[in-house]
Amino acid sequence: MACLFCQIAEKKIPSDIMYEDESMLAFRDIDPQAPTHFLVIPKEHIETLNDLTPEKSSLIGDMVNRARELAGEEGISESGYRMVMNCNRDGGQAVFHIHLHLLGGRSLGWPPG
Ligand code: 5GP
Ligand code: ZN
C-alpha cells in the first residue's frame, strides 16, 4: 500500500486525529502553515479532484461540513479560515489522495503566491 493518506486512514502511520467516521478522517497537518491547519480526507482512495464523479461528489459536501464544525471547535469560526483543495502540479498537490485543507488562526494572504 503506497498511498500515504490511505496508510494514515488505516492507522498504519500515526497522525493527530481530530475526527473519524466510516467515510472520512480529519487530522492535523504535519507541517502546519497556520496556527490551525488540518486535513479532511475521504477513506476511499481518490487521486485527484479530476477523478471525482457526480456519484462521489456528496462526499465533498460532507467533508466541508465536517471541516466547518471542526473550525468551530478550534475557535476560529468568527476570526475566519480558508478551505483549500489542491489539484495536480499547478495546484501544488503533493499527496495524491484528495484532501481538504482548513487553515486559520492568523490572517492569511490573498491571492496565494
Ligand atoms: P497538498 O500539497 O498535497 O495539498 O498537501 C499535502 C499536505 O499533507 C501538506 O500540507 C503536508 O504537510 C501534509 N502531509 C504530508 N505528509 C504528512 C504526514 O505524514 N502526516 C500529516 N499529518 N500530514 C502530512
Ligand atoms: Zn490513498
Side-chain angles (χ1 to χ4, degrees):
M1 167 79 65
C3 172
L4 177 65
F5 285 177
C6 281
Q7 292 181 76
I8 284 179
E10 292 175 12
K11 321 276 173 57
K12 288 175 180 161
I13 292 175
S15 66
D16 187 352
I17 294 172
M18 302 168 74
Y19 175 82
E20 178 173 20
D21 65 22
E22 60 287 336
S23 62
M24 70 177 110
L25 187 75
F27 55 95
R28 294 189 192 278
D29 198 289
I30 204 167
D31 182 22
Q33 302 301 310
T36 291
H37 184 182
F38 61 84
L39 305 172
V40 184
I41 66 167
K43 287 191 171 173
E44 179 182 353
H45 180 81
I46 301 169
E47 271 191 28
T48 79
L49 281 175
N50 293 331
D51 302 302
L52 205 63
T53 59
E55 300 76 54
K56 290 177 183 172
S57 62
S58 68
L59 194 56
I60 301 298
D62 293 342
M63 288 162 59
V64 167
N65 215 33
R66 180 54 51 187
R68 174 186 59 73
E69 290 194 7
L70 289 169
E73 291 174 18
E74 291 288 300
I76 59 171
S77 297
E78 296 310 317
S79 52
Y81 52 82
R82 182 172 297 160
M83 295 191 197
V84 182
M85 294 185 82
N86 297 325
C87 182
N88 278 343
R89 183 187 59 241
D90 284 356
Q93 185 174 5
V95 178
F96 288 84
H97 177 134
I98 61 169
H99 48 279
L100 176 70
H101 293 257
L102 190 142
L103 302 108
R106 69 170 172 85
S107 180
L108 303 160
W110 190 265

